[in-house]
Amino acid sequence: MASNGWALALHGGQREIPPGEMEASRAGCRAALAAGEAILGRGGGALEAVEAVLRLMEDNPVFNAGTGSARNSDGEVEMDAAVMDGATLDLGGVAGIRGVRHPVSVARLLLRETPVLLVAEGARRFAADRGAELCDPRDLIAERPGGGCDTIGCVARDRAGNLAAATSTGGLEGCMPGRVGDSPMPGCGLYADNAAGAVAFSGFGEEIARAMLAARVIQALEAGATPDAAAGGAIARIAALGSEAGGIVLDRHGRIGWAHNGANFAVGLLAEGGAPRVWLSKDEERKDAGHA
Ligand code: ASP
């Protein structure tokens, strides 16, 4: 998709979406796209947009982030989130954080601070000190028919040409307490650099980290690849490792690309002057293109 100004791409995670959850996933992506459009369309910043988009998705139990997060083997919710500013390369990340309503906002509060990543109780204490919304950790538990894992992510370019990326996740269902996935790690689950592009992934965090998927995308964009080719190359790499992932990519011009190799990857895509698109898989996009 081409862009002539601001651009926005979001995802609701890579996983097999049960038929009964498809409409809710689509509606959640549509609503989040509208929230981002409202900010970028009035000249708002990319950071503001990615945070607003993910806050809305964190409140939606159909997605594994914030309310509706996966539980670890102790039955507890520990969340990871990050925000990256492509203008300054500042990154704010939290991992294994409990009892906050919006991990993405805690990550954004950390953006201009010295630590890149705060974990567990230290992250929650930081959230409390900065006035982030706290909650009973049990309030974040919501039954999802599909269960399992996934992550939400968003990349945006604003009219000033600034890029941002953000991720938020409850991690993998039944994982070891204290386990941290790719989502808050720069160069793995996300990255943003105004000179190259912005990217956010979902999938099995251990393999995404081992394969440095976000770094691969940024390097491909720097070498002149299109966003679709850069996303496709990263997914080919994860497939070669026998794993599954999905990624959304923006280049510095605001062109959008995406790829995935699992059953579903819910995305919402919108570039200034274009029509909003929501798809649950590449197959859906291809079918739409065939009927256009
Ligand atoms: N990437 C996330 C993690 O490993 C989970 C997912 O996207 O499915 O924590």
Side-chain angles (χ1 to χ4, degrees):
M1 283 174 89
S3 171
N4 51 7
W6 61 262
L8 177 67
L10 60 87
H11 74 76
Q14 104 77 37
R15 67 175 179 136
E16 188 162 348
I17 304 176
E21 275 187 31
M22 287 189 168
E23 229 9 81
S25 290
R26 264 187 237 286
C29 288
R30 251 185 248 117
L33 214 46
E37 180 182 15
I39 292 167
L40 295 167
R42 62 160 162 75
L47 281 170
E48 191 190 341
V50 296
E51 182 188 6
V53 163
L54 291 202
R55 280 179 68 93
L56 202 63
M57 296 177 86
E58 284 175 341
D59 280 339
N60 187 338
V62 81
F63 303 117
N64 171 20
T67 305
S69 282
R71 281 172 272 177
N72 65 22
S73 58
D74 288 343
E76 286 175 350
V77 169
E78 293 181 325
M79 301 167 289
D80 301 340
V83 174
M84 184 157 182
D85 179 356
T88 60
L89 305 187
D90 283 335
L91 182 113
V94 291
I97 192 168
R98 297 183 189 194
V100 296
R101 187 76 65 187
H102 293 292
V104 71
S105 293
V106 184
R108 182 150 181 223
L109 286 167
L110 189 63
L111 195 66
R112 307 299 180 207
E113 305 282 339
T114 303
V116 161
L117 188 58
L118 282 180
V119 305
E121 186 46 36
R124 191 171 193 274
R125 203 183 304 165
F126 171 81
D129 288 348
R130 294 309 178 90
E133 192 181 346
L134 305 180
C135 63
D136 187 318
R138 286 168 303 191
D139 291 351
L140 300 170
I141 296 174
E143 290 313 324
R144 304 163 77 226
C149 52
D150 57 24
T151 291
I152 57 174
C154 185
V155 289
R157 178 191 194 273
D158 60 30
R159 282 202 185 118
N162 288 317
L163 302 181
T167 52
S168 181
T169 187
L172 302 181
E173 188 76 33
C175 67
M176 284 170 75
R179 176 257 183 199
V180 177
D182 60 298
S183 303
M185 295 193 217
C188 301
L190 84 164
Y191 206 78
D193 179 349
N194 280 7
V199 55
F201 279 102
S202 170
F204 294 96
E206 284 70 13
E207 275 81 4
I208 293 174
R210 286 188 192 113
M212 303 182 304
L213 280 200
R216 272 174 204 280
V217 165
I218 295 296
Q219 282 162 359
L221 292 174
E222 282 171 347
T226 64
D228 258 331
I235 296 305
R237 176 71 186 152
I238 210 82
L241 294 176
S243 195
E244 292 181 346
I248 47 173
V249 178
L250 278 185
D251 71 6
R252 64 196 173 91
H253 307 292
R255 291 182 302 174
I256 298 171
W258 65 295
H260 71 106
N261 67 331
N264 295 111
F265 185 53
V267 296
L269 315 174
L270 181 59
E272 185 166 7
R277 305 281 185 206
V278 171
W279 288 301
L280 301 187
S281 66
K282 271 279 168 188
D283 280 349
E284 280 194 356
E285 182 190 39
R286 277 189 282 269
K287 275 183 205 142
D288 268 6
H291 295 146

Tab-separated table of all heavy atoms in Angstrom, residues 51-115:
chain	number	residue	atom	x	y	z
A	51	GLU	N	0.334	4.477	20.855
A	51	GLU	CA	-0.115	4.226	22.230
A	51	GLU	C	-1.646	4.135	22.289
A	51	GLU	O	-2.207	3.223	22.910
A	51	GLU	CB	0.375	5.318	23.179
A	51	GLU	CG	-0.053	5.053	24.630
A	51	GLU	CD	0.249	6.197	25.589
A	51	GLU	OE1	0.696	7.274	25.140
A	51	GLU	OE2	0.005	6.006	26.806
A	52	ALA	N	-2.325	5.078	21.633
A	52	ALA	CA	-3.797	5.083	21.680
A	52	ALA	C	-4.376	3.815	21.063
A	52	ALA	O	-5.331	3.224	21.590
A	52	ALA	CB	-4.332	6.319	20.958
A	53	VAL	N	-3.786	3.382	19.963
A	53	VAL	CA	-4.256	2.163	19.279
A	53	VAL	C	-4.120	0.956	20.213
A	53	VAL	O	-5.057	0.169	20.399
A	53	VAL	CB	-3.461	1.947	17.969
A	53	VAL	CG1	-3.606	0.519	17.460
A	53	VAL	CG2	-3.907	2.947	16.909
A	54	LEU	N	-2.946	0.824	20.834
A	54	LEU	CA	-2.736	-0.371	21.672
A	54	LEU	C	-3.518	-0.303	22.976
A	54	LEU	O	-3.934	-1.340	23.506
A	54	LEU	CB	-1.247	-0.610	21.918
A	54	LEU	CG	-0.431	-1.034	20.700
A	54	LEU	CD1	0.846	-1.757	21.135
A	54	LEU	CD2	-1.192	-1.916	19.718
A	55	ARG	N	-3.745	0.894	23.502
A	55	ARG	CA	-4.575	0.994	24.724
A	55	ARG	C	-5.969	0.422	24.474
A	55	ARG	O	-6.521	-0.312	25.293
A	55	ARG	CB	-4.701	2.459	25.168
A	55	ARG	CG	-3.505	2.975	25.934
A	55	ARG	CD	-3.714	4.435	26.302
A	55	ARG	NE	-4.785	4.625	27.275
A	55	ARG	CZ	-4.598	4.680	28.597
A	55	ARG	NH1	-3.382	4.564	29.090
A	55	ARG	NH2	-5.606	4.860	29.418
A	56	LEU	N	-6.514	0.796	23.311
A	56	LEU	CA	-7.854	0.296	22.976
A	56	LEU	C	-7.838	-1.232	22.846
A	56	LEU	O	-8.740	-1.929	23.329
A	56	LEU	CB	-8.295	0.945	21.658
A	56	LEU	CG	-9.770	0.994	21.378
A	56	LEU	CD1	-10.485	1.854	22.419
A	56	LEU	CD2	-10.038	1.559	19.977
A	57	MET	N	-6.796	-1.745	22.204
A	57	MET	CA	-6.708	-3.198	22.012
A	57	MET	C	-6.418	-3.921	23.331
A	57	MET	O	-6.878	-5.047	23.536
A	57	MET	CB	-5.656	-3.525	20.947
A	57	MET	CG	-6.037	-2.966	19.572
A	57	MET	SD	-4.780	-3.246	18.314
A	57	MET	CE	-5.215	-4.903	17.743
A	58	GLU	N	-5.680	-3.276	24.234
A	58	GLU	CA	-5.431	-3.882	25.556
A	58	GLU	C	-6.740	-4.013	26.346
A	58	GLU	O	-6.872	-4.930	27.165
A	58	GLU	CB	-4.440	-3.020	26.355
A	58	GLU	CG	-2.992	-3.164	25.894
A	58	GLU	CD	-2.014	-2.226	26.589
A	58	GLU	OE1	-2.453	-1.209	27.168
A	58	GLU	OE2	-0.804	-2.497	26.546
A	59	ASP	N	-7.674	-3.124	26.103
A	59	ASP	CA	-8.962	-3.203	26.811
A	59	ASP	C	-9.893	-4.251	26.220
A	59	ASP	O	-10.940	-4.548	26.794
A	59	ASP	CB	-9.677	-1.837	26.756
A	59	ASP	CG	-9.111	-0.868	27.787
A	59	ASP	OD1	-8.498	-1.330	28.772
A	59	ASP	OD2	-9.294	0.350	27.601
A	60	ASN	N	-9.530	-4.768	25.032
A	60	ASN	CA	-10.415	-5.693	24.327
A	60	ASN	C	-9.979	-7.129	24.614
A	60	ASN	O	-8.893	-7.551	24.199
A	60	ASN	CB	-10.321	-5.394	22.821
A	60	ASN	CG	-11.323	-6.185	22.019
A	60	ASN	OD1	-11.809	-7.223	22.465
A	60	ASN	ND2	-11.633	-5.703	20.839
A	61	PRO	N	-10.804	-7.910	25.323
A	61	PRO	CA	-10.369	-9.260	25.742
A	61	PRO	C	-10.167	-10.227	24.584
A	61	PRO	O	-9.623	-11.321	24.802
A	61	PRO	CB	-11.497	-9.732	26.672
A	61	PRO	CG	-12.647	-8.825	26.425
A	61	PRO	CD	-12.121	-7.546	25.829
A	62	VAL	N	-10.529	-9.851	23.374
A	62	VAL	CA	-10.282	-10.771	22.254
A	62	VAL	C	-8.788	-10.844	21.942
A	62	VAL	O	-8.319	-11.811	21.331
A	62	VAL	CB	-11.120	-10.369	21.000
A	62	VAL	CG1	-10.473	-9.232	20.221
A	62	VAL	CG2	-11.342	-11.577	20.098
A	63	PHE	N	-8.027	-9.849	22.386
A	63	PHE	CA	-6.580	-9.827	22.138
A	63	PHE	C	-5.797	-10.186	23.406
A	63	PHE	O	-6.189	-9.794	24.513
A	63	PHE	CB	-6.145	-8.445	21.642
A	63	PHE	CG	-6.867	-7.990	20.406
A	63	PHE	CD1	-7.682	-6.861	20.426
A	63	PHE	CD2	-6.734	-8.694	19.218
A	63	PHE	CE1	-8.350	-6.447	19.284
A	63	PHE	CE2	-7.406	-8.286	18.066
A	63	PHE	CZ	-8.220	-7.153	18.107
A	64	ASN	N	-4.660	-10.861	23.202
A	64	ASN	CA	-3.800	-11.274	24.312
A	64	ASN	C	-2.875	-10.123	24.715
A	64	ASN	O	-1.691	-10.100	24.373
A	64	ASN	CB	-2.992	-12.515	23.895
A	64	ASN	CG	-1.915	-12.875	24.893
A	64	ASN	OD1	-1.962	-12.474	26.064
A	64	ASN	ND2	-0.924	-13.621	24.443
A	65	ALA	N	-3.438	-9.166	25.445
A	65	ALA	CA	-2.671	-8.014	25.942
A	65	ALA	C	-3.575	-7.279	26.913
A	65	ALA	O	-4.789	-7.221	26.680
A	65	ALA	CB	-2.288	-7.079	24.802
A	66	GLY	N	-3.024	-6.745	27.997
A	66	GLY	CA	-3.877	-6.082	28.979
A	66	GLY	C	-4.969	-7.031	29.428
A	66	GLY	O	-4.712	-8.198	29.768
A	67	THR	N	-6.222	-6.585	29.408
A	67	THR	CA	-7.350	-7.449	29.760
A	67	THR	C	-7.469	-8.580	28.734
A	67	THR	O	-7.517	-8.316	27.535
A	67	THR	CB	-8.652	-6.623	29.793
A	67	THR	OG1	-8.458	-5.525	30.683
A	67	THR	CG2	-9.822	-7.468	30.235
A	68	GLY	N	-7.488	-9.813	29.212
A	68	GLY	CA	-7.540	-10.954	28.285
A	68	GLY	C	-6.177	-11.574	28.041
A	68	GLY	O	-6.019	-12.421	27.164
A	69	SER	N	-5.178	-11.156	28.831
A	69	SER	CA	-3.825	-11.701	28.654
A	69	SER	C	-3.752	-13.194	28.980
A	69	SER	O	-4.495	-13.686	29.835
A	69	SER	CB	-2.851	-10.960	29.578
A	69	SER	OG	-2.502	-9.703	29.057
A	70	ALA	N	-2.810	-13.854	28.321
A	70	ALA	CA	-2.525	-15.257	28.635
A	70	ALA	C	-2.021	-15.370	30.069
A	70	ALA	O	-1.558	-14.390	30.661
A	70	ALA	CB	-1.463	-15.778	27.665
A	71	ARG	N	-2.106	-16.580	30.613
A	71	ARG	CA	-1.621	-16.813	31.985
A	71	ARG	C	-0.415	-17.743	31.971
A	71	ARG	O	-0.356	-18.658	31.148
A	71	ARG	CB	-2.746	-17.412	32.823
A	71	ARG	CG	-3.730	-16.330	33.281
A	71	ARG	CD	-4.928	-16.939	33.943
A	71	ARG	NE	-5.956	-17.268	32.971
A	71	ARG	CZ	-7.086	-17.879	33.294
A	71	ARG	NH1	-7.318	-18.251	34.527
A	71	ARG	NH2	-7.992	-18.128	32.362
A	72	ASN	N	0.486	-17.515	32.893
A	72	ASN	CA	1.667	-18.391	32.989
A	72	ASN	C	1.297	-19.694	33.718
A	72	ASN	O	0.125	-19.909	34.069
A	72	ASN	CB	2.853	-17.648	33.643
A	72	ASN	CG	2.568	-17.266	35.093
A	72	ASN	OD1	1.715	-17.851	35.753
A	72	ASN	ND2	3.288	-16.273	35.596
A	73	SER	N	2.280	-20.538	33.980
A	73	SER	CA	1.977	-21.858	34.562
A	73	SER	C	1.465	-21.761	35.997
A	73	SER	O	0.921	-22.727	36.530
A	73	SER	CB	3.210	-22.776	34.486
A	73	SER	OG	4.288	-22.180	35.161
A	74	ASP	N	1.638	-20.602	36.628
A	74	ASP	CA	1.029	-20.373	37.953
A	74	ASP	C	-0.389	-19.808	37.835
A	74	ASP	O	-1.007	-19.476	38.849
A	74	ASP	CB	1.860	-19.359	38.764
A	74	ASP	CG	3.173	-19.945	39.254
A	74	ASP	OD1	3.303	-21.182	39.254
A	74	ASP	OD2	4.061	-19.150	39.629
A	75	GLY	N	-0.856	-19.622	36.599
A	75	GLY	CA	-2.193	-19.045	36.390
A	75	GLY	C	-2.200	-17.524	36.529
A	75	GLY	O	-3.258	-16.921	36.675
A	76	GLU	N	-1.000	-16.912	36.471
A	76	GLU	CA	-0.933	-15.457	36.654
A	76	GLU	C	-0.598	-14.729	35.366
A	76	GLU	O	0.064	-15.281	34.481
A	76	GLU	CB	0.121	-15.133	37.727
A	76	GLU	CG	-0.418	-15.485	39.102
A	76	GLU	CD	0.582	-15.327	40.206
A	76	GLU	OE1	1.765	-15.116	39.908
A	76	GLU	OE2	0.157	-15.443	41.368
A	77	VAL	N	-1.074	-13.472	35.312
A	77	VAL	CA	-0.825	-12.633	34.134
A	77	VAL	C	0.434	-11.800	34.362
A	77	VAL	O	0.507	-11.023	35.311
A	77	VAL	CB	-2.037	-11.706	33.865
A	77	VAL	CG1	-1.680	-10.642	32.826
A	77	VAL	CG2	-3.251	-12.516	33.421
A	78	GLU	N	1.421	-11.996	33.501
A	78	GLU	CA	2.634	-11.161	33.488
A	78	GLU	C	2.764	-10.642	32.053
A	78	GLU	O	2.752	-11.453	31.115
A	78	GLU	CB	3.876	-11.986	33.821
A	78	GLU	CG	3.899	-12.511	35.234
A	78	GLU	CD	5.165	-13.314	35.521
A	78	GLU	OE1	5.660	-14.014	34.608
A	78	GLU	OE2	5.647	-13.245	36.648
A	79	MET	N	2.905	-9.340	31.906
A	79	MET	CA	2.825	-8.761	30.564
A	79	MET	C	4.131	-8.079	30.143
A	79	MET	O	4.882	-7.586	30.979
A	79	MET	CB	1.682	-7.746	30.531
A	79	MET	CG	0.333	-8.364	30.895
A	79	MET	SD	-0.943	-7.130	31.230
A	79	MET	CE	-0.388	-6.458	32.796
A	80	ASP	N	4.349	-8.053	28.831
A	80	ASP	CA	5.492	-7.355	28.240
A	80	ASP	C	4.946	-6.301	27.267
A	80	ASP	O	3.950	-6.556	26.570
A	80	ASP	CB	6.354	-8.311	27.402
A	80	ASP	CG	6.912	-9.487	28.188
A	80	ASP	OD1	6.976	-9.414	29.431
A	80	ASP	OD2	7.294	-10.484	27.534
A	81	ALA	N	5.611	-5.153	27.210
A	81	ALA	CA	5.209	-4.122	26.241
A	81	ALA	C	6.392	-3.209	25.964
A	81	ALA	O	7.311	-3.101	26.790
A	81	ALA	CB	4.033	-3.293	26.788
A	82	ALA	N	6.357	-2.559	24.819
A	82	ALA	CA	7.423	-1.603	24.492
A	82	ALA	C	6.907	-0.553	23.528
A	82	ALA	O	5.961	-0.792	22.769
A	82	ALA	CB	8.617	-2.324	23.881
A	83	VAL	N	7.560	0.599	23.584
A	83	VAL	CA	7.293	1.691	22.636
A	83	VAL	C	8.646	2.190	22.152
A	83	VAL	O	9.563	2.386	22.966
A	83	VAL	CB	6.531	2.849	23.316
A	83	VAL	CG1	6.385	4.027	22.362
A	83	VAL	CG2	5.156	2.390	23.796
A	84	MET	N	8.787	2.394	20.844
A	84	MET	CA	10.055	2.918	20.313
A	84	MET	C	9.788	4.128	19.438
A	84	MET	O	8.861	4.138	18.622
A	84	MET	CB	10.789	1.835	19.519
A	84	MET	CG	12.149	2.325	19.058
A	84	MET	SD	13.305	0.982	18.725
A	84	MET	CE	14.760	1.949	18.299
A	85	ASP	N	10.622	5.160	19.631
A	85	ASP	CA	10.505	6.424	18.905
A	85	ASP	C	11.554	6.438	17.790
A	85	ASP	O	12.762	6.469	18.068
A	85	ASP	CB	10.762	7.567	19.906
A	85	ASP	CG	10.683	8.938	19.268
A	85	ASP	OD1	10.503	9.021	18.034
A	85	ASP	OD2	10.796	9.931	20.005
A	86	GLY	N	11.094	6.434	16.542
A	86	GLY	CA	12.017	6.376	15.410
A	86	GLY	C	12.818	7.650	15.209
A	86	GLY	O	13.840	7.642	14.514
A	87	ALA	N	12.386	8.749	15.820
A	87	ALA	CA	13.097	10.024	15.659
A	87	ALA	C	14.354	10.059	16.514
A	87	ALA	O	15.373	10.643	16.121
A	87	ALA	CB	12.175	11.175	16.025
A	88	THR	N	14.299	9.445	17.697
A	88	THR	CA	15.412	9.540	18.657
A	88	THR	C	16.043	8.187	18.974
A	88	THR	O	17.075	8.145	19.643
A	88	THR	CB	14.875	10.101	19.994
A	88	THR	OG1	13.869	9.181	20.474
A	88	THR	CG2	14.260	11.485	19.823
A	89	LEU	N	15.398	7.106	18.543
A	89	LEU	CA	15.763	5.724	18.906
A	89	LEU	C	15.584	5.467	20.403
A	89	LEU	O	16.121	4.495	20.935
A	89	LEU	CB	17.175	5.347	18.451
A	89	LEU	CG	17.477	5.530	16.964
A	89	LEU	CD1	18.862	4.938	16.624
A	89	LEU	CD2	16.420	4.885	16.079
A	90	ASP	N	14.831	6.325	21.090
A	90	ASP	CA	14.480	6.038	22.482
A	90	ASP	C	13.556	4.825	22.525
A	90	ASP	O	12.686	4.662	21.659
A	90	ASP	CB	13.739	7.222	23.119
A	90	ASP	CG	14.694	8.346	23.491
A	90	ASP	OD1	15.885	8.077	23.707
A	90	ASP	OD2	14.225	9.502	23.558
A	91	LEU	N	13.753	3.989	23.551
A	91	LEU	CA	12.886	2.832	23.728
A	91	LEU	C	12.481	2.709	25.182
A	91	LEU	O	13.313	2.872	26.075
A	91	LEU	CB	13.608	1.544	23.295
A	91	LEU	CG	12.709	0.310	23.428
A	91	LEU	CD1	12.368	-0.285	22.080
A	91	LEU	CD2	13.326	-0.744	24.311
A	92	GLY	N	11.211	2.456	25.414
A	92	GLY	CA	10.733	2.155	26.751
A	92	GLY	C	10.129	0.772	26.725
A	92	GLY	O	9.243	0.501	25.909
A	93	GLY	N	10.601	-0.109	27.593
A	93	GLY	CA	10.068	-1.468	27.606
A	93	GLY	C	9.783	-1.926	29.027
A	93	GLY	O	10.514	-1.570	29.959
A	94	VAL	N	8.717	-2.698	29.190
A	94	VAL	CA	8.440	-3.325	30.482
A	94	VAL	C	8.245	-4.815	30.242
A	94	VAL	O	7.755	-5.226	29.193
A	94	VAL	CB	7.188	-2.736	31.181
A	94	VAL	CG1	7.451	-1.308	31.626
A	94	VAL	CG2	5.947	-2.815	30.296
A	95	ALA	N	8.659	-5.629	31.204
A	95	ALA	CA	8.539	-7.078	31.049
A	95	ALA	C	8.105	-7.702	32.365
A	95	ALA	O	8.494	-7.229	33.445
A	95	ALA	CB	9.870	-7.670	30.609
A	96	GLY	N	7.272	-8.724	32.261
A	96	GLY	CA	6.806	-9.424	33.453
A	96	GLY	C	6.079	-8.496	34.409
A	96	GLY	O	6.102	-8.714	35.623
A	97	ILE	N	5.424	-7.471	33.866
A	97	ILE	CA	4.730	-6.508	34.735
A	97	ILE	C	3.339	-7.052	35.073
A	97	ILE	O	2.676	-7.659	34.233
A	97	ILE	CB	4.663	-5.100	34.083
A	97	ILE	CG1	4.201	-4.055	35.106
A	97	ILE	CG2	3.783	-5.073	32.834
A	97	ILE	CD1	4.373	-2.617	34.636
A	98	ARG	N	2.927	-6.830	36.316
A	98	ARG	CA	1.617	-7.318	36.786
A	98	ARG	C	0.768	-6.149	37.271
A	98	ARG	O	1.298	-5.165	37.791
A	98	ARG	CB	1.790	-8.239	37.980
A	98	ARG	CG	2.546	-9.478	37.688
A	98	ARG	CD	2.569	-10.301	38.951
A	98	ARG	NE	3.478	-11.419	38.795
A	98	ARG	CZ	3.507	-12.455	39.614
A	98	ARG	NH1	2.682	-12.513	40.641
A	98	ARG	NH2	4.347	-13.429	39.420
A	99	GLY	N	-0.542	-6.328	37.144
A	99	GLY	CA	-1.471	-5.411	37.806
A	99	GLY	C	-1.463	-3.993	37.284
A	99	GLY	O	-1.671	-3.058	38.057
A	100	VAL	N	-1.218	-3.827	35.983
A	100	VAL	CA	-1.419	-2.501	35.375
A	100	VAL	C	-2.397	-2.687	34.219
A	100	VAL	O	-2.366	-3.687	33.516
A	100	VAL	CB	-0.106	-1.850	34.859
A	100	VAL	CG1	0.845	-1.577	36.010
A	100	VAL	CG2	0.558	-2.677	33.781
A	101	ARG	N	-3.251	-1.706	34.056
A	101	ARG	CA	-4.302	-1.824	33.047
A	101	ARG	C	-3.728	-1.676	31.630
A	101	ARG	O	-4.163	-2.344	30.704
A	101	ARG	CB	-5.357	-0.735	33.317
A	101	ARG	CG	-6.594	-0.801	32.497
A	101	ARG	CD	-7.571	-1.869	32.915
A	101	ARG	NE	-8.143	-1.653	34.228
A	101	ARG	CZ	-8.917	-2.542	34.855
A	101	ARG	NH1	-9.180	-3.712	34.278
A	101	ARG	NH2	-9.401	-2.287	36.037
A	102	HIS	N	-2.731	-0.781	31.489
A	102	HIS	CA	-2.203	-0.490	30.153
A	102	HIS	C	-0.681	-0.550	30.137
A	102	HIS	O	-0.005	0.476	30.244
A	102	HIS	CB	-2.682	0.893	29.691
A	102	HIS	CG	-4.151	0.943	29.457
A	102	HIS	ND1	-4.756	0.257	28.426
A	102	HIS	CD2	-5.142	1.568	30.118
A	102	HIS	CE1	-6.060	0.465	28.472
A	102	HIS	NE2	-6.331	1.252	29.486
A	103	PRO	N	-0.122	-1.736	29.940
A	103	PRO	CA	1.345	-1.856	29.884
A	103	PRO	C	1.975	-0.935	28.841
A	103	PRO	O	3.071	-0.411	29.050
A	103	PRO	CB	1.558	-3.330	29.535
A	103	PRO	CG	0.308	-4.012	29.981
A	103	PRO	CD	-0.807	-3.036	29.837
A	104	VAL	N	1.280	-0.716	27.707
A	104	VAL	CA	1.870	0.135	26.664
A	104	VAL	C	2.089	1.556	27.165
A	104	VAL	O	3.069	2.222	26.795
A	104	VAL	CB	1.023	0.108	25.356
A	104	VAL	CG1	-0.305	0.858	25.526
A	104	VAL	CG2	1.821	0.697	24.195
A	105	SER	N	1.211	2.025	28.046
A	105	SER	CA	1.368	3.389	28.564
A	105	SER	C	2.509	3.460	29.580
A	105	SER	O	3.189	4.486	29.675
A	105	SER	CB	0.060	3.877	29.197
A	105	SER	OG	-0.911	4.014	28.183
A	106	VAL	N	2.724	2.375	30.318
A	106	VAL	CA	3.878	2.343	31.231
A	106	VAL	C	5.160	2.388	30.389
A	106	VAL	O	6.112	3.109	30.709
A	106	VAL	CB	3.843	1.089	32.128
A	106	VAL	CG1	4.996	1.131	33.124
A	106	VAL	CG2	2.503	0.971	32.860
A	107	ALA	N	5.168	1.636	29.297
A	107	ALA	CA	6.337	1.646	28.399
A	107	ALA	C	6.571	3.049	27.848
A	107	ALA	O	7.706	3.530	27.787
A	107	ALA	CB	6.129	0.649	27.262
A	108	ARG	N	5.486	3.734	27.491
A	108	ARG	CA	5.672	5.084	26.944
A	108	ARG	C	6.174	6.054	28.023
A	108	ARG	O	6.978	6.940	27.734
A	108	ARG	CB	4.367	5.604	26.333
A	108	ARG	CG	4.599	6.976	25.741
A	108	ARG	CD	3.774	7.362	24.577
A	108	ARG	NE	4.152	8.690	24.125
A	108	ARG	CZ	3.304	9.638	23.777
A	108	ARG	NH1	2.004	9.389	23.813
A	108	ARG	NH2	3.737	10.813	23.372
A	109	LEU	N	5.739	5.864	29.251
A	109	LEU	CA	6.231	6.720	30.342
A	109	LEU	C	7.741	6.535	30.536
A	109	LEU	O	8.440	7.455	30.955
A	109	LEU	CB	5.496	6.385	31.650
A	109	LEU	CG	4.052	6.875	31.753
A	109	LEU	CD1	3.355	6.212	32.947
A	109	LEU	CD2	4.001	8.390	31.885
A	110	LEU	N	8.230	5.347	30.212
A	110	LEU	CA	9.656	5.047	30.389
A	110	LEU	C	10.514	5.539	29.219
A	110	LEU	O	11.747	5.584	29.316
A	110	LEU	CB	9.823	3.525	30.536
A	110	LEU	CG	11.178	2.968	30.942
A	110	LEU	CD1	11.569	3.461	32.339
A	110	LEU	CD2	11.156	1.441	30.909
A	111	LEU	N	9.843	5.933	28.140
A	111	LEU	CA	10.532	6.220	26.871
A	111	LEU	C	11.709	7.179	27.024
A	111	LEU	O	12.759	6.961	26.431
A	111	LEU	CB	9.505	6.794	25.886
A	111	LEU	CG	9.889	6.854	24.418
A	111	LEU	CD1	10.060	5.466	23.832
A	111	LEU	CD2	8.829	7.623	23.623
A	112	ARG	N	11.540	8.258	27.775
A	112	ARG	CA	12.612	9.266	27.877
A	112	ARG	C	13.512	9.058	29.097
A	112	ARG	O	14.339	9.895	29.415
A	112	ARG	CB	12.011	10.680	27.940
A	112	ARG	CG	11.057	11.016	26.824
A	112	ARG	CD	11.708	10.966	25.454
A	112	ARG	NE	10.746	11.303	24.410
A	112	ARG	CZ	10.817	10.878	23.161
A	112	ARG	NH1	11.811	10.088	22.769
A	112	ARG	NH2	9.900	11.218	22.280
A	113	GLU	N	13.321	7.947	29.791
A	113	GLU	CA	14.140	7.655	30.972
A	113	GLU	C	15.375	6.863	30.551
A	113	GLU	O	15.423	6.296	29.462
A	113	GLU	CB	13.331	6.821	31.981
A	113	GLU	CG	12.022	7.450	32.397
A	113	GLU	CD	12.201	8.566	33.413
A	113	GLU	OE1	13.249	8.597	34.079
A	113	GLU	OE2	11.289	9.409	33.526
A	114	THR	N	16.350	6.765	31.435
A	114	THR	CA	17.598	6.066	31.098
A	114	THR	C	17.399	4.564	30.891
A	114	THR	O	17.906	4.014	29.911
A	114	THR	CB	18.666	6.315	32.179
A	114	THR	OG1	18.831	7.731	32.266
A	114	THR	CG2	19.981	5.667	31.820
A	115	PRO	N	16.678	3.859	31.782
A	115	PRO	CA	16.558	2.412	31.506
A	115	PRO	C	15.762	2.171	30.229
A	115	PRO	O	14.771	2.866	29.964
A	115	PRO	CB	15.786	1.865	32.713
A	115	PRO	CG	15.749	2.955	33.717
A	115	PRO	CD	15.947	4.237	32.995
